[in-house]
Amino acid sequence: MSDPSGSIISFEEPSRPVADQFLLNIDGWEGPLDVLLMLARNQKVDLSAISILQLAEQYLEFIAAARRIRLELAADYLVMAAWLAYLKSRLLLPAEETGEEPSGEELAAHLAFRLRRLEAMRGRASVLMSRHRVGRDVFLRGLPEGIRVIRKSAYVADLYGLLRAYAAQKARSEGNDDYQIRRRPVFTMEDAMRRLERLVGFVPDWTSLQQFLPPSMTDKALSKSALASTFAAALEYTRQGKLELRQTESFGPLLIRSRVRAAGQDE
Amino acid sequence: MTEHLEHLRMVEALLFAAAEPLDEESIVQRLPGHPEVGPLLAELQDMYSRRGVNLVRRAGKWMFQTAPDLAFLLQQEVQEERRLSRAAQETLAIIAYHQPATRAEIEDIRGVTVSKGTVDLLMEIGWVRVMGRRQTPGKPVTYGVSEQFLIEFGLESVKDLPGIDELKAAGLLDAEPPDSYRLLPVDEADEDTEEDVLLPFDDPVETGRG
Amino acid sequence: MTEHLEHLRMVEALLFAAAEPLDEESIVQRLPGHPEVGPLLAELQDMYSRRGVNLVRRAGKWMFQTAPDLAFLLQQEVQEERRLSRAAQETLAIIAYHQPATRAEIEDIRGVTVSKGTVDLLMEIGWVRVMGRRQTPGKPVTYGVSEQFLIEFGLESVKDLPGIDELKAAGLLDAEPPDSYRLLPVDEADEDTEEDVLLPFDDPVETGRG
């Protein structure tokens, strides 16, 4: 036990030759499903008649053997081993009446499905690769003359389009004066800083930031602007250590209180 | 009759000259009078079927190519083809049979992470292309095979992939086992354990041992 | 006899796939048993002489070639209808309204540099012609519209072009801002961009019309 460095042969039991013969070539595996497929193939030619329980045992044995000879196994091989151990227990234990989790049979059926699907794809891959392939088995004309397309552009335009273009051009060059940039009512950051500054020292308890908005903001846009700038101002005072700011849940109210008061000390 | 022969000559000339497969519409457009080309193509295909050069339909388009049985004659010119890794071969097959397929779906089937390089390589060869995005969270890119793939692998369309109907019927192109999926065919299971038909350890597999 | 036909097929395939014309010796070398190819080539040449593709001998080498009388098929003229760019349309309109107009005058009206290509294109199409030279320093060329323009646009003369007032009456020149401004009325913008209220400088422009 202390020295497991013995050769692979040391754990090769005549009755279980399956796992070992693959171990020699662990680098050649394309993941745990690949190993399972090979084990299953060894079990039966017809994948629809394999024993998943037996397969699970063989795989666990395979992993155990690999660890015994200290082969580095990628994590997904170990994840599969853990899953198969779980599957094995589900298959051996009487089915529970939980109803929530899939039964052992369902898990086994799903694994069998995946194995068959992988095998099918693998089979198709080799069928595809053995097809007569252009450039390898069949050949296209070596000296195609090519078919030339000579493109000629015919421009289409009509009077309507022309007039529209002229009108659009006119509107652009002469109509500019008609447009003015509207000044939008804004409660500026400076306003908010000033307003909040007067109040920051007098907030002993958590109070909604909403309370500090300037009153009588009937204009929707202006009140949004005020909220934004007041929030920014609150962030600034928080940064300066004059305020504390918190929000207890996403989209919940923003709460502030005076830091000086809360700490009960002054500088 | 003469006109018919002339049309045959013209289709022949166009397909010989073209550097790539032509669809029927392009052929029609080029022929004077725009005759129906379906019968002309069928006739030519038959005429050339026993020649050293065959007329074939690939990806819905028509082209001439050398007869497959003469491969031995022509192969000496071809330089050693780059062999695809098994991973790349499988990925290609999965994309072809399951398209549009996301990387996650490919990985689910192979049971192993698909390295970015594998799909990239297939795209670089020109056999795989991005088809679109799956409308699921994360909007993953979906892959499919290209027209070039169909041409090079001698397929009229993905519907002609070898065995695709059988795979579909067996539910093996689905993401999940079909409802009717049974691990064991009923007749192979023990008859006295109706309840346990699904149980894999009822499998009389041991009897197969020598 | 069968062997003879096989040889014909092979020669056919070789010549079809070859990337360059082949001399008889290279064909012989490639055929199993190295038969005499002269008669084979002569037979093929005869077979193909009435086809859309001919077997021809050039500089002592053999190749397939599209029948010369069908060469016209291999060139196809495609007429593509293209719309004039907005710049070209405007330039054309300005020339029509203000002719004779120099490039500098067009630029002055458009408020943008007029690329030489735009005027050249209009002249190439045949809608714009050089009218003369302005007797000012530099003697710039003046442009006007052609007779072809008048015909194609259904005008007796440029005097028939509607005036500004008529354009307005026709609804073509109204106070609506041009699309390119992408203006939104302020109230609409507020509804669309609830989240953007924080950015006062993102303010849409108001239309100042009465």
Side-chain angles (χ1 to χ4, degrees):
Chain A
M1 194 63 202
S2 59
D3 180 19
S5 64
S7 71
I8 301 161
I9 299 148
S10 66
F11 53 77
E12 198 169 80
E13 302 161 52
S15 61
R16 296 270 186 218
V18 173
D20 318 326
Q21 70 194 60
F22 301 126
L23 270 181
L24 297 166
N25 191 20
I26 188 120
D27 288 339
W29 297 112
E30 295 268 349
L33 214 52
D34 189 25
V35 173
L36 277 170
L37 185 55
M38 196 52 68
L39 292 170
R41 277 247 192 76
N42 235 52
Q43 209 181 83
K44 274 238 164 169
V45 180
D46 181 6
L47 274 195
S48 63
I50 52 163
S51 157
I52 289 293
L53 183 65
Q54 194 185 348
L55 191 62
E57 279 168 357
Q58 286 171 345
Y59 183 87
L60 294 172
E61 204 176 304
F62 168 87
I63 294 297
R67 298 184 114 177
R68 240 178 299 163
I69 59 167
R70 295 175 173 166
L71 277 175
E72 290 282 333
L73 282 175
D76 46 353
Y77 288 89
L78 302 177
V79 169
M80 178 61 86
W83 187 81
L84 285 173
Y86 167 75
L87 173 63
K88 200 175 128 185
S89 69
R90 293 293 300 266
L91 288 173
L92 292 173
L93 295 173
E96 291 171 36
E97 293 294 318
T98 56
E100 282 297 309
E101 290 183 30
S103 67
E105 291 80 35
E106 280 164 349
L107 293 174
H110 194 261
L111 177 60
F113 167 75
R114 292 188 69 191
L115 289 173
R116 284 182 64 180
R117 192 174 58 173
L118 178 61
E119 190 191 44
M121 281 302 113
R122 202 159 273 183
R124 291 305 106 188
S126 60
V127 169
L128 274 182
M129 289 300 146
S130 63
R131 286 182 72 82
H132 290 304
R133 207 164 337 142
V134 168
R136 189 186 69 178
D137 309 300
V138 296
F139 298 84
L140 306 185
R141 186 155 180 216
L143 277 173
E145 287 108 322
I147 295 175
R148 284 170 298 282
V149 172
I150 301 161
R151 295 192 187 280
K152 277 196 167 178
S153 297
Y155 283 90
V156 289
D158 55 16
L159 189 58
Y160 177 73
L162 193 71
L163 297 179
R164 271 198 72 89
Y166 189 67
Q169 186 290 122
K170 270 271 177 238
R172 210 172 60 232
S173 61
E174 294 172 8
N176 276 356
D177 298 344
D178 293 345
Y179 306 123
Q180 292 176 350
I181 294 176
R182 193 189 64 159
R183 227 186 138 75
R184 179 179 231 173
V186 166
F187 191 69
T188 65
M189 180 77 184
E190 288 75 21
D191 293 341
M193 292 285 288
R194 269 197 300 277
R195 188 180 157 73
L196 206 55
E197 190 173 24
R198 279 184 271 124
L199 303 169
V200 284
F202 309 99
V203 194
D205 292 319
W206 290 111
T207 311
S208 168
L209 187 65
Q210 208 79 32
Q211 305 288 321
F212 297 90
L213 298 186
S216 67
M217 287 266 171
T218 48
D219 186 299
K220 193 174 149 206
L222 183 59
S223 86
K224 280 187 184 175
S225 163
L227 177 61
S229 52
T230 304
F231 173 52
L235 282 177
E236 174 60 22
Y237 286 126
T238 304
R239 190 183 67 84
Q240 292 175 12
K242 294 175 181 167
L243 277 183
E244 286 180 290
L245 183 64
R246 79 168 183 186
Q247 186 179 30
T248 49
E249 56 178 325
S250 296
F251 303 110
L254 290 159
L255 304 174
I256 58 170
R257 69 174 174 184
S258 306
R259 183 181 165 82
V260 180
R261 283 294 167 86
Q265 60 187 42
D266 212 325
E267 285 187 44
Chain B
M1 186 59 188
T2 311
E3 193 191 22
H4 177 68
L5 282 178
E6 273 307 298
H7 281 151
L8 282 180
R9 287 184 75 228
M10 288 176 182
V11 175
E12 208 173 29
L14 280 172
L15 287 166
F16 255 84
E20 48 196 34
L22 294 180
D23 59 45
E24 297 189 8
E25 183 57 25
S26 313
I27 301 172
V28 171
Q29 285 310 316
R30 285 166 177 278
L31 296 186
H34 309 312
E36 209 187 322
V37 293
L40 294 169
L41 288 162
E43 192 173 338
L44 280 175
Q45 191 172 29
D46 182 57
M47 280 169 59
Y48 276 93
S49 61
R50 290 164 298 276
R51 310 302 310 241
V53 173
N54 303 149
L55 180 58
V56 295
R57 187 182 175 141
R58 298 289 181 255
K61 301 179 172 183
W62 294 85
M63 64 184 204
F64 278 112
Q65 67 179 26
T66 57
D69 66 306
L70 299 179
F72 72 96
L73 197 65
L74 301 155
Q75 269 160 349
Q76 51 201 31
E77 277 199 352
V78 188
Q79 66 264 75
E80 190 58 30
E81 63 161 335
R82 183 166 47 164
R83 279 200 65 80
L84 277 188
S85 67
R86 202 175 73 174
Q89 289 183 21
E90 281 178 27
T91 303
L92 178 63
I94 290 168
I95 290 174
Y97 281 86
H98 292 261
Q99 75 170 43
T102 65
R103 183 183 295 268
E105 287 159 3
I106 300 166
E107 292 179 350
D108 182 55
I109 293 170
R110 296 197 64 231
V112 69
T113 311
V114 174
S115 81
K116 181 116 177 55
T118 304
V119 178
D120 279 359
L121 173 69
L122 293 171
M123 287 178 62
E124 193 186 318
I125 297 173
W127 288 340
V128 163
R129 68 192 168 98
V130 168
M131 288 189 84
R133 287 188 183 276
R134 178 76 30 96
Q135 292 309 312
T136 52
K139 304 213 165 170
V141 163
T142 57
Y143 299 94
V145 289
S146 65
E147 185 176 302
Q148 187 186 336
F149 168 85
L150 296 176
I151 291 169
E152 287 192 29
F153 284 79
L155 296 162
E156 278 209 30
S157 80
V158 284
K159 294 196 188 80
D160 294 322
L161 283 165
I164 192 165
D165 292 336
E166 292 87 326
L167 291 175
K168 197 175 276 176
L172 289 171
L173 299 185
D174 299 330
E176 295 291 325
D179 289 342
S180 61
Y181 192 83
R182 292 290 179 272
L183 184 55
L184 299 177
V186 174
D187 55 341
E188 285 202 45
D190 287 348
E191 282 169 13
D192 53 342
T193 55
E194 306 103 310
E195 306 272 330
D196 296 335
V197 164
L198 296 182
L199 288 180
F201 43 83
D202 277 340
D203 194 353
V205 70
E206 301 297 339
T207 58
R209 284 278 176 91
Chain C
M1 187 58 190
T2 310
E3 192 190 24
H4 177 68
L5 281 180
E6 274 308 300
H7 281 148
L8 283 180
R9 289 181 76 229
M10 290 175 186
V11 174
E12 215 168 40
L14 278 172
L15 286 167
F16 173 85
E20 54 190 12
L22 295 180
D23 58 37
E24 299 189 9
E25 184 54 26
S26 5
I27 301 172
V28 171
Q29 286 310 315
R30 284 164 170 273
L31 296 184
H34 310 309
E36 208 187 323
V37 293
L40 293 169
L41 286 164
E43 190 173 342
L44 280 176
Q45 188 171 32
D46 181 55
M47 279 170 58
Y48 277 95
S49 63
R50 289 163 300 276
R51 311 301 313 238
V53 174
N54 303 151
L55 183 58
V56 296
R57 188 181 172 142
R58 297 280 180 267
K61 298 182 175 185
W62 293 86
M63 62 190 272
F64 277 116
Q65 178 180 285
T66 312
D69 65 311
L70 299 179
F72 74 96
L73 283 178
L74 307 184
Q75 293 197 356
Q76 191 184 38
E77 288 197 355
V78 179
Q79 281 271 343
E80 278 182 341
E81 291 209 336
R82 293 184 59 182
R83 292 206 70 79
L84 277 188
S85 68
R86 206 184 68 180
Q89 278 198 21
E90 284 184 20
T91 303
L92 179 61
I94 290 168
I95 292 172
Y97 271 90
H98 298 269
Q99 72 172 39
T102 65
R103 181 193 302 270
E105 287 159 5
I106 299 167
E107 288 177 356
D108 189 47
I109 294 167
R110 283 200 70 216
V112 201
T113 311
V114 175
S115 81
K116 178 132 170 49
T118 305
V119 178
D120 283 354
L121 173 68
L122 293 170
M123 288 179 58
E124 193 188 313
I125 298 171
W127 289 336
V128 163
R129 67 192 168 95
V130 170
M131 288 187 83
R133 288 189 183 273
R134 180 74 28 95
Q135 293 310 310
T136 54
K139 301 209 169 174
V141 165
T142 59
Y143 300 96
V145 291
S146 65
E147 192 180 318
Q148 186 188 336
F149 168 86
L150 294 175
I151 293 168
E152 288 189 26
F153 284 79
L155 296 165
E156 281 280 317
S157 85
V158 288
K159 295 197 184 76
D160 288 351
L161 285 168
I164 300 299
D165 292 340
E166 289 164 300
L167 287 177
K168 271 186 182 147
L172 282 165
L173 181 57
D174 56 22
E176 282 295 336
D179 293 347
S180 58
Y181 273 63
R182 299 204 165 279
L183 301 185
L184 291 173
V186 168
D187 48 349
E188 192 180 311
D190 276 350
E191 282 161 25
D192 284 350
T193 55
E194 292 279 337
E195 309 296 326
D196 288 341
V197 173
L198 298 185
L199 303 171
F201 38 85
D202 199 17
D203 203 356
V205 180
E206 185 185 44
T207 58
R209 78 188 120 107

